[in-house]
Amino acid sequence: MAERQGQTAPDAVLTRIGQVVMLHHAGDREEARHRFLDLWAEIGEHGDPLHRCTLAHYLADTQDEPADELAWDLRALTAAEEAGTGALAVRAFYPSLHLNLADVYDRLGRGDAARSHLRWAREAAAALPDDRYGQGVRAAIGRLASRLGGGGGGMRTPPRQRP
């Protein structure tokens, strides 16, 4: 990000993603999905990894089918890995990325993959600060762990948490 007089300039793409997230949270899932897809077309498969990670992470939430959700969650994880763990903004995504993958794998009946990603989510969450976001992610991990411990499968309400 560019710096001006000691202040970080806003990232226009992340701002646009945030605006669509607000639209989604306001209840217009279909329109949010279309706008996210338009942004994805602009950014492209080889665009900035932080932008792709963020966009795919949120785009997964707008999918109707778990298989489509999984594809976007995997794109988000791939982009995060491309950005590298040195990128602070991306590191904060890892607990939620793995949590979302654990959830969707559970809903797809893939318990082993769900438990692996849940373990990775828990490990990544250890680095989160003890703030509202960190507490929320840890609570969501606990809820999913309880469901997986109780037989897993069939979870209909994903424990989505976003940075």
Side-chain angles (χ1 to χ4, degrees):
M1 285 200 247
E3 298 239 334
R4 277 188 226 142
Q5 297 178 359
Q7 294 183 340
T8 303
D11 182 319
V13 174
L14 293 178
T15 298
R16 290 171 63 200
I17 292 169
Q19 291 168 339
V20 180
V21 168
M22 290 189 312
L23 178 68
H24 180 229
H25 289 169
D28 200 342
R29 182 178 183 179
E30 188 70 25
E31 181 63 23
R33 179 175 35 236
H34 290 298
R35 289 188 190 188
F36 279 142
L37 288 170
D38 288 344
L39 277 168
W40 186 262
E42 280 182 42
I43 293 169
E45 288 286 329
H46 303 289
D48 180 276
L50 175 60
H51 294 160
R52 286 185 292 122
C53 176
T54 306
L55 182 54
H57 193 47
Y58 287 109
L59 189 51
D61 288 342
T62 66
Q63 302 307 302
D64 294 326
E65 298 298 321
D68 296 330
E69 184 178 340
L70 175 62
W72 285 108
D73 281 333
L74 289 171
R75 283 183 186 107
L77 182 61
T78 298
E81 290 168 349
E82 286 176 29
T85 57
L88 180 60
V90 172
R91 261 197 331 250
F93 270 113
Y94 275 103
S96 186
L97 290 170
H98 286 295
L99 173 64
N100 293 347
L101 282 161
D103 166 57
V104 75
Y105 277 128
D106 178 45
R107 289 185 283 129
L108 289 167
R110 295 177 59 188
D112 287 343
R115 284 184 290 283
S116 291
H117 280 282
L118 183 63
R119 184 180 70 250
W120 294 328
R122 187 176 283 128
E123 290 170 7
L128 291 175
D130 190 26
D131 59 8
R132 185 173 163 183
Y133 172 70
Q135 292 166 2
V137 170
R138 287 184 194 92
I141 289 169
R143 288 190 301 274
L144 183 55
S146 293
R147 288 183 182 111
L148 289 176
M155 192 167 92
R156 297 293 172 246
T157 305
R160 296 252 178 221
Q161 294 291 321
R162 299 294 186 211

